[in-house]
Amino acid sequence: MAAALLPLLLLLATGPGSGRADAGQERRDALREELLLTPLPTGDVAATFQFRTRWDADLQRGAVSHYRLFPKALGRLVAALGVRELHLALTQGFWRTRYWGQPPLQAPAGAELWVWFQPTVTDVDKAWKELSNILSGIFCASLNFIDSTNTVIPTASFKPLGLANGTDHHLLRYAVLPREVVCTENLTPWKKLLPCGSKAGLAVLLKAERLFHSSYHSQAVHIRPICRDASCLAMSWELRQTLTVVFDFFSSGQGKKDWSLFKMFSRTLTDTCPLASQSKVYVDISPKNKEKELLEVSPPPTSVHEAIVQGDKKTYAVYDLLSPSLFNTSRSLNVQLKWKRPQDSSEMPIPTLHAQRYVGGYGLQTGEICTLIYNTHPYRAFPVILLETVPWYLRLYVHTLTIITKGKENKPSYIHYQPAQDRRRPHLLEMLIQLPANSVTKITIQFERALLKWTEYPPDPNHGFYVGSSVLSALVPSVTAMKDMDVEQSPLFTSLFPSSDGSSYFVRLYTEPLLVNLPTPDFSMPYNVICLTCTVVAVCYGSFYNLLTRTFHVEEPSRGGLAKRLANVIRKFRGVPPL
Amino acid sequence: MRQFPGRGLRGAGPVLSAVPAERARGRRAALSFATIAVVLGLPLWWKTTETYRAALPYADIDGLGQQPVRLVVPMAVVFSPGSVPGDLPRPLPFRDVQEMEISVNLRTSVTSRYEMRYRSTTGQEEAALAAATAREADAALHPLQDTTMGSLTMYVVPETSSLLPQGISVYVGKHRSALVRAGGSLAALQARLREVTQVMSFTASSIAAALSDRVPNGQLSPDARRNLKSSLGYEITFSLLNPDPKSHTVDWDIEGAVNCYVKPVLDKLSLVANFSVDSQILYYAVLGVTPRYDKESSSFLLSAHSLPHVINPVEARLGSSAASLYPVLNFLLYVPERSHSPLYIQDKDGATVSTNAFHSPRWGGIMVYNVEAPASPQASLPLHVDVDMARVMEVFLAQLRLLFGLSREEVPPEFLLESPGNEGLADWELDHLLWAHTVENIATVSTTLTSLAQLLDKIGNIVIKDDVASEVYRAVASVQSAVTKLSLGHLHAAFQASKEAVTSSERAFFDPSLLHLLYFPDDQKFAIYIPLFLPMAVPILLSLAKIVRETRLRKKEPTKMD
C-alpha cells in the first residue's frame, strides 16, 4: 500500500470547543479472566479459560458504536442483526462425562450455534442465515453450511441464559455441524477478540500447538444481556469467551500425573493483562472421599476458595495474579500439581447424570438409534429434556419409539416431534422423560436410510454421515445444599447457568455424535448407465434401421467357396473331373 | 468402374430389374429416417439441453461506452450597478453558452457546457450587496438564489467595491454563489468566471480523477488516485492504538468529538452516501516498523519510505466490517510505546512533519500522538493520558476531506473561500463531489455492464435468469436517464439515477445464479452424447451417401445411352 506523506493544511475552523474529557469517569466496561485447572480422575487434566467482558451499554441502540474492551466485530453484529443472545462453540473431541465427571461447560463435537433474536426482528430466518455467514467469516469456520436442513427450533431445551422478556421459541435457532474440524485457524480469530490478545495475561498460555495436542478442545463465545446490578433496572452486555482443553495423561504428561503450567502449555505466566480487573487461576484441590487432601500445589496459593459447584463441595486453590505479592518472589508463575500418594482409580466418582448413544441394526436399509441415560442418584428421581436432531436422510419411524426404564415402559410427559421434509428440514424430537432414581433408561427409535441424489453426497461418502449429538438438559438434584451466591463475586465458571434454587443445579450434556453409513452408489454409475442405455438403443436402432432400409434378394450360386476350389485343385492333380 | 459402366449395370441388371420397387422403398425409408432425425430429433435435443438465457440489451450496453457525457452547469451572472463591462455584445439580460471539451481518452468524451444567464441585480440583491462585509452579503443573498444543486450564481461587483478585502478578487460563499470583482473588459471577466466555476463545480482534472480507472496508467498524477471510489456507503472507523497499556492509560472522548466535528460533515454528505461511524481501542497493536533513534533530538523517527510497511500489521487487528460491504475508512491514532516516544514522522526531505500524521490513498490516515514524558521519572505507571480531541480531529477531518477530493489547497491566491462553519462543508463543495461521483458512477456502470455482456457472450454455459436480465435493463435505463439529466443540468436527479444504476448493475453482475452451470465443459458433453449419437448418425450418413452416389450414377446413365 502506497502511503503518501503530505503536510496537512490546517482547517480554518473546526466547530466549537474541544470535547469533554471525563478523566475520572467510571469505566463502563470491565474484563475478568480466570483459568480453572481440574485434575480428572483418569489422570488427565482439564484447563478451562474464561474471559468475561462486561459492558454497561445498550448495544441495540444504533447510537452506541464506540468500543473499548468489547470487540467491535461482535458488537456490530449484535446491533445490526438484532441478536438477543448468541452461543457459539467449536469443539474437537468428546467430553467423556462418565470418566471425567461433569464439565463446567460442555459442547458437542463440531460446531454448535444457538441464537435468540430480539422480538423486533421480523424475518428471523434471514437474520439467522446472515448471522451464520458473518460468523463463519469472523471465526474462519464452515458455519455458512448452516441452512434449513440442519436448523431446528427447539421448544423446551434451550432457554435464554440472560435477561429475557419472553421466551417465544420462534425467535430461537439452533444448529450443529458435527463434521466441522476445529483447528488453529479458528483459535486465532478467537484470541483476537480478547482485549489483550495473546500478549499478556492468561491468554499467553494459549499456544496453538499445545492446545490442539490434546484429547478435547472446545472454544466458545457466549453473548448475552445481563442485569447491571442487583436491582436490575438497567441492562449490560456480557461477552464470555471460554476455552476448555483436556491434556492427555499419556501423550502430554508422559505417563505421570504430576502437572504444571509449563508441562501443559509450555509457557508460564509472567505478567497480567493491564486491562483486566480480575485475573485468577483456580486449581481444584477438593479432597476425594472426605479424606485428607491428596493433591499438593506449589507455589502456595494466595487464598483458598470453597464453593459448591454442580452439587459437589469443591475446594479451590486460588492464585490472584493482580495481587502484588505473587510476582514478588519469582518473575513467573508456574503452578505445579503433585499427588501425595498414588490415586486409586477404582474409586472414580460416577456423575449423577450421564448418557451414551449408538447406532444399532445391520445392513444398509434400516437401523436404530439407541440412547442410554443413566441416573445414578441413590434416591432422587428427576426429569430430563432430551433433544434429538436427525438429518432428513434418516427417516425416523416415530411409532417405533420406545422408552424403557427398569424393564417397564416409561411414558414421556411431553413430546414435541417435527417430522423432516426431504431436503428442507431435519427431524426434531424433544421429550421430557422422568428418570427414576438409580436407573438406566433406554430410548430406541428405528430409522430407514434414504437414497440421496448422486450430487448430494459429500466428498468421501464412505466415511459415513454424521448425526449431531443429542442434548440432555436437566435440573439435577444436588446432594449438598447450595447457598445463593453473588454472581459478580463468584468465580466465572459457576455463573453461566442460572441455578433455580439451592436444591438442584442445571446440567446440559451432549451425547456422542453418530456416524451412519448410507448406501453409497458407484459414482461412475451415471456414465455407465448412459453408455449402456445408449448401446442398447443403438443396437436396437441399428437392426431396425437395417431391416427397413436394406434390400434383400436371392444370391446367385457362386463359383463355390475356398473348400470347393481346394478340392478341385486336388482333383486336378489326381486327374479326376472337378466338382 | 468408370471404364466399364455398362458392365456393372448389366451385371446388376437382373437384380435391379427384379426389385426396383424394393430398392426405392429402402431409399425412402433411409430418407425418412434422416428427415425425422433432423426435423424432430435435433430440435428436441437442442430445446431440452439448452441453458436459459434471457435476452439482454447488448446494443444499448455497447452504446454506453461511446455515449458522450455532457455536463451542463446552469449559471447566473448578476451584474451589480457600476460593474457592467463596457464591451457587452448585447444589452442585459441575455444568454450565452460556453462549451469545453474534457478529453479523458479516445473512447470517452466529456463535454462541459456552461449555460450563462447574464442579468443585472434586482432591488433586493442590491440591498443585500450593500452589506458591510462579503460574509454578510453572502448570507443575505442566499434566500434570493436559485438553490438547485449544481447551479451557480455569480455576483459581479464593481472593481472598487469594498466588499472584498484588498488583493482578493473572488469570494466564494458558503452556498452556491460567489462575489467576483469586475475585471474591466468582458473577456477578462469571463476568464475569471471560468476559474471560479471550475473551483465550484468541476475541473478537467477532477473529472479525469473520477474516471481514473479508464485512463491509461501514467497519465494521471498520483493525487488523482487518492480519492475514494464512489460507493453507496462508507464506514468510518476511528481506532486508538495503544501498544503499551502497561505504561499508558489512554482515554479519548471519541463520542463527543464525533458529535462535535465529524457529524456535521457527514450530515451534509449523507446526500452522497450512507455513513456509519464507529470507534474502537486496540491494545498491544504495534506498527510494523521499528523507528530509528535520533540522538540529536533524542526522539524516534519514522522515515517516509518506511511508512508503507507501517499499516499492514495494524490492519490485521482492525477487523473488517463483517456486517456490511461498504468500503471502510480507517483513521488511526497511535500512541507510541514508552520506549519509543516521542515518535516523529519524517518526510522525504528529512524534516519532521508538523502534524505528525500521514494518509494512505483510499484507505485512511494515521496520526502519531506523543505523550509528554512525566516530569519525574518515578511517576507511577500507568500514566493517564487524555487525548486532545480537537487537535486529533483537525487532522482527521483534513484527511477525510482529502480522501473525498475536497481539499482546499489548489485555489489561486486571489480567491477567498468562506469557511463552511458548523456545517463542515459548503454547498458548492457538495456539488463538486456530486459532479465527480455522478460521472464516476456512469463510467462504473458502463464498465460493469460491458464486462458482464462480454463475459456472457464468451461463456455460453452461463444461465441468464429473468431477474438478472431485468436488473441489466434497469441499470441501462437508469444510466441513460442519468446522462440525459446531466445534459439538462439536473445534477441531483442525475446522481440519484446513477446510484440506482450502480446498484442494479452490481446486483446483476454478482448474482450467484450466473455461476450455477459455469463448470460444464464441452468435452464432458461430448462424452455423454457420443455413445448415442455416433451409432445413430453413422448408418444414416452412410445410407445418405449411398443414395447420393446412386443418384449421381443414374444421372450419368442417360448420357451414356446417347
Side-chain angles (χ1 to χ4, degrees):
Chain A
M1 190 172 289
L5 188 72
L6 190 116
L8 288 160
L9 202 80
L10 288 184
L11 287 179
L12 295 172
T14 42
S18 90
R20 310 161 277 112
D22 304 308
Q25 100 184 32
E26 185 79 1
R27 287 264 177 238
R28 296 203 329 203
D29 45 5
L31 171 74
R32 287 172 70 188
E33 52 176 26
E34 68 178 36
L35 164 64
L36 167 68
L37 297 175
T38 323
L40 299 174
T42 48
D44 306 338
V45 66
T48 307
F49 291 86
Q50 288 220 25
F51 300 90
R52 192 184 81 151
T53 310
R54 190 196 137 123
W55 191 18
D56 296 342
D58 192 357
L59 265 174
Q60 300 293 342
R61 276 192 303 124
V64 182
S65 52
H66 302 286
Y67 299 89
R68 197 178 84 96
L69 297 179
F70 204 91
K72 187 180 80 128
L74 291 180
R76 291 287 304 270
L77 192 67
V78 169
L81 292 173
V83 173
R84 176 106 203 153
E85 213 170 272
L86 183 149
H87 303 271
L88 167 71
L90 298 166
T91 309
Q92 185 75 21
F94 175 69
W95 182 277
R96 298 150 66 201
T97 313
R98 170 77 176 74
Y99 302 100
W100 292 345
Q102 219 73 262
L105 254 183
Q106 201 198 339
E112 181 203 40
L113 176 66
W114 60 283
V115 177
W116 277 93
F117 288 94
Q118 297 280 0
T120 48
V121 177
T122 47
D123 191 348
V124 178
D125 284 318
K126 187 165 161 275
W128 167 249
K129 181 83 202 151
E130 206 167 323
L131 179 79
S132 55
N133 278 321
I134 295 172
L135 285 175
S136 147
I138 294 178
F139 291 101
C140 292
S142 322
L143 297 171
N144 52 327
F145 284 103
I146 291 177
D147 54 15
S148 69
T149 60
N150 43 30
T151 302
V152 290
I153 306 172
T155 54
S157 294
F158 289 91
K159 291 291 168 210
L161 295 184
L163 281 177
N165 288 336
T167 52
D168 178 9
H169 59 79
H170 289 292
L171 299 169
L172 169 69
R173 292 292 181 277
Y174 174 81
V176 176
L177 296 175
R179 213 183 150 97
E180 179 71 12
V181 177
V182 181
C183 202
T184 323
E185 77 267 19
N186 308 112
L187 181 69
T188 312
W190 185 89
K191 279 199 288 195
K192 239 160 65 174
L193 299 176
L194 297 170
C196 279
S198 49
K199 299 272 172 50
L202 295 176
V204 170
L205 300 175
L206 299 172
K207 197 178 168 190
E209 73 184 70
R210 301 295 302 172
L211 292 185
F212 290 102
H213 188 69
S214 58
S215 23
Y216 177 79
H217 170 99
S218 172
Q219 58 183 71
V221 171
H222 304 275
I223 301 176
R224 58 173 183 167
I226 54 169
C227 286
R228 192 166 298 179
D229 45 28
S231 61
C232 206
L233 292 173
M235 196 170 80
S236 296
W237 283 85
E238 183 196 70
L239 164 70
R240 234 175 237 258
Q241 290 181 255
T242 66
L243 188 141
T244 310
V245 60
V246 175
F247 290 102
D248 189 61
F249 152 65
F250 288 107
S251 69
S252 301
Q254 289 110 31
K256 283 184 197 156
K257 287 178 180 178
D258 300 337
W259 293 95
S260 69
L261 283 186
F262 188 78
K263 207 168 155 187
M264 286 184 262
F265 303 102
S266 76
R267 301 229 176 131
T268 53
L269 289 170
T270 50
D271 58 354
T272 57
C273 171
L275 309 164
S277 56
Q278 188 202 66
S279 188
K280 283 181 177 171
V281 179
Y282 290 84
V283 184
D284 186 354
I285 51 167
S286 327
K288 306 275 187 297
N289 301 331
K290 299 176 186 73
E291 285 170 37
K292 261 187 75 66
E293 59 185 70
L294 303 164
L295 200 63
E296 189 180 27
V297 287
S298 64
T302 29
S303 62
V304 173
H305 178 84
E306 291 207 348
I308 292 156
V309 178
Q310 290 176 332
D312 270 333
K313 202 167 172 187
K314 301 261 182 178
T315 317
Y316 296 100
V318 185
Y319 297 87
D320 189 353
L321 301 190
L322 291 183
S323 87
S325 61
L326 194 65
F327 288 113
N328 272 355
T329 45
S330 69
R331 288 182 56 82
S332 70
L333 173 68
N334 182 21
V335 178
Q336 290 178 323
L337 289 76
K338 274 204 176 67
W339 293 97
K340 280 179 183 164
R341 55 181 174 86
Q343 197 190 10
D344 195 357
S345 57
S346 63
E347 298 167 14
M348 251 191 269
I350 294 171
T352 315
L353 173 70
H354 60 102
Q356 84 188 82
R357 191 162 75 137
Y358 55 89
V359 187
Y362 52 85
L364 280 179
Q365 201 193 347
T366 55
E368 195 177 46
I369 296 177
C370 304
T371 313
L372 295 172
I373 306 176
Y374 298 85
N375 173 8
T376 60
H377 200 285
Y379 50 86
R380 284 280 299 270
F382 58 87
V384 63
I385 298 176
L386 174 78
L387 170 82
E388 287 261 18
T389 317
V390 180
W392 62 266
Y393 40 77
L394 300 185
R395 300 206 163 109
L396 291 185
Y397 291 128
V398 194
H399 70 274
T400 62
L401 175 71
T402 50
I403 304 166
I404 290 170
T405 313
K406 291 179 172 171
K408 275 183 291 182
E409 198 185 338
N410 184 347
K411 210 165 161 46
S413 44
Y414 168 76
I415 290 194
H416 171 72
Y417 175 68
Q418 191 188 37
Q421 284 176 355
D422 279 6
R423 297 175 183 87
R424 298 259 303 278
R425 66 170 196 218
H427 300 271
L428 168 69
L429 179 61
E430 272 187 297
M431 290 183 289
L432 183 67
I433 304 168
Q434 188 72 24
L435 301 181
N438 212 354
S439 69
V440 185
T441 305
K442 184 176 183 183
I443 301 160
T444 58
I445 186 162
Q446 289 180 7
F447 64 86
E448 190 186 67
R449 294 161 221 244
L451 275 174
L452 300 186
K453 289 181 185 162
W454 75 294
T455 48
E456 284 171 346
Y457 286 92
D460 189 15
N462 290 309
H463 176 74
F465 287 73
Y466 283 96
V467 178
S469 315
S470 49
V471 188
L472 293 169
S473 319
L475 277 175
V476 177
S478 144
V479 183
T480 30
M482 287 183 284
K483 284 179 300 223
D484 222 7
M485 287 175 297
D486 181 13
V487 177
E488 276 304 306
Q489 294 308 316
S490 60
L492 294 177
F493 55 84
T494 59
S495 59
L496 185 61
F497 292 122
S499 65
S500 56
D501 53 58
S503 63
S504 58
Y505 58 98
F506 183 79
V507 168
R508 179 166 292 149
L509 283 185
Y510 296 87
T511 63
E512 298 90 337
L514 300 178
L515 192 55
V516 180
N517 268 313
L518 286 195
T520 9
D522 168 14
F523 285 98
S524 63
M525 181 190 68
Y527 187 66
N528 296 346
V529 169
I530 289 173
C531 282
L532 187 72
T533 325
C534 291
T535 314
V536 170
V537 168
V539 166
C540 297
Y541 162 82
S543 29
F544 192 60
Y545 186 88
N546 273 342
L547 206 66
L548 287 178
T549 57
R550 283 281 161 90
T551 357
F552 298 94
H553 52 84
V554 185
E555 199 174 328
E556 288 173 30
S558 67
R559 280 186 297 157
L562 186 66
K564 198 176 172 187
R565 260 190 271 170
L566 261 177
N568 281 344
V569 170
I570 295 167
R571 274 171 175 257
K572 214 173 178 180
F573 276 116
R574 283 170 60 199
V576 188
L579 288 173
Chain B
M1 200 68 173
R2 194 169 270 177
Q3 283 159 333
F4 308 104
R7 190 184 153 206
L9 279 176
R10 220 174 294 138
V15 182
L16 269 180
S17 55
V19 278
E22 179 69 16
R23 281 201 80 101
R25 187 199 58 78
R27 212 179 299 135
R28 276 202 302 278
L31 279 175
S32 52
F33 261 104
T35 323
I36 289 173
V38 171
V39 173
L40 216 67
L42 280 180
L44 195 72
W45 168 71
W46 190 255
K47 204 72 206 160
T48 47
T49 56
E50 80 174 344
T51 46
Y52 181 74
R53 288 167 77 86
L56 290 185
Y58 288 107
D60 287 347
I61 293 173
D62 267 351
L64 287 183
Q66 275 99 13
Q67 197 166 27
V69 179
R70 229 162 72 182
L71 309 177
V72 172
V73 187
M75 209 170 121
V77 182
V78 183
F79 291 99
S80 64
S83 67
V84 186
D87 50 352
L88 276 188
R90 267 164 286 171
L92 290 173
F94 66 93
R95 285 170 180 273
D96 189 16
V97 169
Q98 282 191 357
E99 279 204 21
M100 197 174 69
E101 183 90 17
I102 302 171
S103 71
V104 179
N105 62 9
L106 290 177
R107 285 193 66 193
T108 326
S109 70
V110 180
T111 325
S112 64
R113 184 183 162 96
Y114 297 98
E115 289 182 351
M116 319 235 239
R117 233 160 7 99
Y118 294 89
R119 64 178 171 89
S120 49
T121 45
T122 60
Q124 281 173 314
E125 283 168 342
E126 254 173 70
L129 282 171
T133 63
R135 184 175 299 174
E136 283 166 26
D138 182 48
L141 283 169
H142 179 230
L144 309 174
Q145 287 158 14
D146 173 18
T147 52
T148 54
M149 279 179 201
S151 64
L152 299 173
T153 314
M154 306 284 169
Y155 297 95
V156 183
V157 295
E159 183 96 54
T160 54
S161 166
S162 60
L163 263 180
L164 304 180
Q166 206 66 40
I168 296 294
S169 52
V170 174
Y171 166 87
V172 181
K174 274 207 267 191
H175 307 288
R176 294 184 174 87
S177 67
L179 302 180
V180 182
R181 214 186 271 275
S185 68
L186 181 65
L189 177 70
Q190 276 179 340
R192 191 169 282 168
L193 282 178
R194 199 175 305 133
E195 268 186 88
V196 186
T197 49
Q198 289 200 348
V199 166
M200 292 178 73
S201 57
F202 49 85
T203 57
S205 68
S206 76
I207 293 297
L211 298 173
S212 59
D213 284 352
R214 330 187 93 207
V215 177
N217 275 356
Q219 276 189 22
L220 277 169
S221 62
D223 281 357
R225 300 197 177 277
R226 181 174 59 213
N227 298 352
L228 278 168
K229 301 285 292 167
S230 165
S231 160
L232 302 178
Y234 299 93
E235 296 202 356
I236 299 177
T237 304
F238 294 97
S239 305
L240 172 65
L241 308 186
N242 183 0
D244 194 5
K246 270 199 151 38
S247 328
H248 300 138
T249 319
V250 186
D251 268 317
W252 66 343
D253 177 31
I254 184 69
E255 205 161 349
V258 164
N259 285 338
C260 186
Y261 305 109
V262 184
K263 217 159 168 293
V265 180
L266 296 187
D267 283 347
K268 197 96 187 199
L269 279 174
S270 63
L271 201 71
V272 180
N274 301 322
F275 285 90
S276 73
V277 183
D278 45 31
S279 79
Q280 58 181 344
I281 302 183
L282 297 175
Y283 297 93
Y284 291 104
V286 287
L287 300 182
V289 181
T290 318
R292 188 167 50 82
Y293 183 67
D294 183 48
K295 270 187 188 150
E296 281 172 39
S297 58
S298 69
S299 60
F300 291 83
L301 295 177
L302 269 180
S303 54
H305 65 83
S306 64
L307 291 182
H309 310 291
V310 162
I311 295 173
N312 284 348
V314 175
E315 193 166 25
R317 288 284 312 272
L318 290 179
S320 57
S321 60
S324 87
L325 296 172
Y326 295 144
V328 184
L329 271 163
N330 287 293
F331 293 102
L332 313 185
L333 184 68
Y334 181 77
V335 181
E337 299 138 85
R338 207 168 137 73
S339 56
H340 282 163
S341 54
L343 177 68
Y344 296 107
I345 297 174
Q346 244 181 350
D347 65 10
K348 286 195 180 71
D349 308 324
T352 53
V353 180
S354 61
T355 53
N356 221 0
F358 66 97
H359 81 272
S360 173
R362 295 184 182 176
W363 184 83
I366 297 186
M367 180 181 178
V368 177
Y369 189 92
N370 284 313
V371 174
E372 289 109 49
S376 65
Q378 287 87 33
S380 70
L381 291 177
L383 210 61
H384 191 89
V385 183
D386 263 318
V387 177
D388 176 9
M389 290 312 285
R391 207 178 102 202
V392 172
M393 278 311 183
E394 200 173 85
V395 173
F396 283 164
L397 272 185
Q399 287 176 337
L400 183 73
R401 281 174 157 275
L402 208 61
L403 291 168
F404 276 105
L406 295 175
S407 167
R408 291 187 160 206
E409 285 169 71
E410 300 121 12
V411 171
E414 73 269 21
F415 277 48
L416 177 65
L417 305 186
E418 177 61 60
S419 100
N422 281 340
E423 290 174 0
L425 208 64
D427 286 345
W428 57 268
E429 284 177 309
L430 189 67
D431 288 356
H432 190 93
L433 205 59
L434 282 183
W435 284 115
H437 276 198
T438 311
V439 172
E440 190 185 335
N441 284 349
I442 291 173
T444 312
V445 173
S446 90
T447 318
T448 311
L449 290 181
T450 314
S451 47
L452 179 66
Q454 276 173 358
L455 184 80
L456 295 179
D457 201 38
K458 204 180 271 174
I459 306 175
N461 278 335
I462 297 184
V463 181
I464 309 175
K465 285 192 176 170
D466 281 335
D467 50 343
V468 175
S470 72
E471 290 292 347
V472 172
Y473 274 102
R474 197 171 308 144
V476 169
S478 307
V479 82
Q480 280 168 344
S481 96
V483 170
T484 326
K485 278 171 183 151
L486 270 185
S487 65
L488 292 173
H490 301 154
L491 178 59
H492 189 233
F495 177 69
Q496 292 299 346
S498 76
K499 240 162 92 167
E500 278 161 32
V502 169
T503 319
S504 299
S505 68
E506 299 285 301
R507 208 176 291 154
F509 193 84
F510 292 107
D511 196 288
S513 73
L514 292 180
L515 297 174
H516 280 175
L517 278 180
L518 190 58
Y519 184 73
F520 199 62
D522 283 339
D523 49 342
Q524 285 200 3
K525 255 189 246 174
F526 283 118
I528 288 170
Y529 291 137
I530 274 186
L532 181 67
F533 281 18
L534 208 63
M536 293 194 86
V538 164
I540 293 182
L541 290 180
L542 279 182
S543 49
L544 279 183
K546 196 174 152 205
I547 290 168
V548 169
R549 206 164 51 229
E550 279 176 7
T551 341
R552 207 179 285 156
L553 273 180
R554 210 174 315 137
K555 266 188 192 157
K556 273 184 187 163
E557 204 178 5
T559 56
K560 280 281 175 220
M561 288 298 188
D562 284 337

